[in-house]
Amino acid sequence: QARHLFDYNIVLIGFMGAGKSTVSEYLSTVFAMDVVEMDQVIAEREGMSIPDIFATYGEEYFRNRETNLLKEMQLRKQAVISCGGGAALREENVAEMKKNGRVVLLTASPQTIYERVKDSTDRPILNGNNNIEFITELMEKRREKYEKAADIVIYTDGKTVLQICEELIAKL
Ligand code: S3P
């Protein structure tokens, strides 16, 4: 009988553009783990895109959907949970992440993040603010909360997805 390498969830957190989705896809392929893309699940359940959820119901509503989904997720094991960039900002969310998971923070420099998200149109938090000053400021505002939530921190600048995953596995 096959045994899984991990009997807990790997929970990826970090700023928009930090590489959460890319890394989760890679991990799921290599280790045959399920992936839960939180934004995608929320959008599917609500029957609308993330920008539409923000526009129709507001940010608070979206944040509450995140909290509810994370409560469901702590019942799972052996999944890669790719969080939206704001999911680690609520303390109660972080507590849910930690119940069954290792929380992995992916970070990058503001310049790198800017390059990755500058053409993004589906991130309401950036709405019209896709500039380096806004990104630097918001990253700084969120930094402490991200770091406090993390069990493991991985700096991604200049690394390939493979290198990032190897580092992640080594630190688990
Ligand atoms: C958000 C990040 C987004 C998405 C929503 C809010 C944020 O996810 O959840 O637009 O507050 O940082 P990504 O990190 O996948 O872009």
Side-chain angles (χ1 to χ4, degrees), residues 16 20 39 50 54 62-63 66 84-86 123-125 142:
M16 296 166 269
K20 303 178 295 282
D39 282 346
I50 300 295
F54 270 67
F62 173 75
R63 298 300 177 200
E66 282 188 314
R123 291 180 165 111
I125 296 290
R142 289 180 170 189

Side-chain angles (χ1 to χ4, degrees), residues 10 20 24 46 50 62 65 70 75 79 90 120 128 149 153 162:
I10 297 175
K20 303 178 295 282
S24 64
E46 296 294 313
I50 300 295
F62 173 75
R65 301 283 78 69
L70 281 165
L75 300 172
R90 282 188 180 176
S120 166
V153 182
L162 174 61

Side-chain angles (χ1 to χ4, degrees), residues 36-165:
V36 181
E37 268 289 339
M38 285 189 52
D39 282 346
Q40 204 177 307
V41 173
I42 292 170
E44 272 166 22
R45 288 183 180 179
E46 296 294 313
M48 58 175 98
S49 69
I50 300 295
D52 285 347
I53 295 172
F54 270 67
T56 309
Y57 301 118
E59 179 173 350
E60 185 71 10
Y61 178 89
F62 173 75
R63 298 300 177 200
N64 291 337
R65 301 283 78 69
E66 282 188 314
T67 299
N68 289 346
L69 184 54
L70 281 165
K71 284 183 182 152
E72 285 175 46
M73 287 303 106
Q74 57 97 359
L75 300 172
R76 300 191 57 144
K77 286 174 170 184
Q78 301 166 346
V80 185
I81 300 170
S82 180
C83 295
L89 301 176
R90 282 188 180 176
E91 255 176 62
E92 88 176 289
N93 289 1
V94 175
E96 293 301 329
M97 292 173 189
K98 285 181 185 289
K99 280 185 185 163
N100 244 334
R102 300 288 158 85
V103 180
V104 180
L105 171 63
L106 301 180
T107 69
S109 68
Q111 187 61 44
T112 300
I113 296 287
Y114 168 70
E115 292 298 331
R116 291 183 190 157
V117 303
K118 65 178 183 213
D119 298 321
S120 166
T121 53
D122 61 355
R123 291 180 165 111
I125 296 290
L126 294 178
N127 249 344
N129 284 315
N130 296 27
N131 62 69
I132 185 96
E133 292 77 19
F134 179 83
I135 287 167
T136 306
E137 208 174 291
L138 187 59
M139 283 178 76
E140 196 45 48
K141 243 195 226 163
R142 289 180 170 189
R143 192 166 60 93
E144 205 181 292
K145 282 184 177 159
Y146 285 145
E147 286 175 358
K148 195 160 168 254
D151 298 311
I152 294 160
V153 182
I154 300 178
Y155 190 71
T156 63
D157 270 20
K159 293 176 188 163
T160 64
V161 188
L162 174 61
Q163 285 172 326
I164 293 164
C165 291

